[in-house]
Structures are given as structure tokens and as C-alpha cells.
Amino acid sequence: MMKAHQKFLAGEGNERLKFYLDARLRPAKDLADFVYLTQVNQAQAIDMAARHHRAVRR
């Protein structure tokens, strides 16, 4: 089901998401946990990017 909706890397983007979850957070227990953790990961990435852009602006 998820592969059909995944547009990144011709449907293989979920593997990249899983890689980052395993490296940065924890492995997902089920689909709902996977969705939640990918959103947490995205929120942390946006926070990091915003902090970086604020720190380097003039």
C-alpha cells in the first residue's frame, strides 16, 4: 500500500525513511508508529534547518 503512494526513488523512498529512523530515533513497531516517527524526524529536521538559517543570517 505505502509503496504505491511513495513517489521518491520510484517507490523505494520508504527504505530511506526507515534508514533515518533506525539511525536517528528508533525502529518503528507498526505502520502507525512509522508514520508518527517520520513526522517527528521531519519536525526535527525543519527545526535544525531553521536554527541554522537564523544563525547564519546577517
Side-chain angles (χ1 to χ4, degrees):
M1 170 189 78
M2 287 191 54
K3 188 172 181 176
H5 294 282
Q6 180 60 262
K7 307 297 183 223
F8 187 68
L9 289 175
E12 300 303 324
N14 292 326
E15 288 302 315
R16 182 172 286 188
L17 293 172
K18 184 180 176 318
F19 171 80
Y20 286 118
L21 291 184
D22 294 347
R24 298 191 69 238
L25 297 170
R26 62 175 168 76
K29 294 180 234 170
D30 55 21
L31 179 60
D33 198 38
F34 181 80
V35 171
Y36 173 76
L37 289 172
T38 56
Q39 290 176 343
V40 169
N41 191 48
Q42 183 177 22
Q44 290 176 351
I46 291 170
D47 178 60
M48 184 187 320
R51 289 173 187 267
H52 171 74
H53 286 291
R54 285 186 199 123
V56 298
R57 74 176 172 196
R58 292 179 185 223

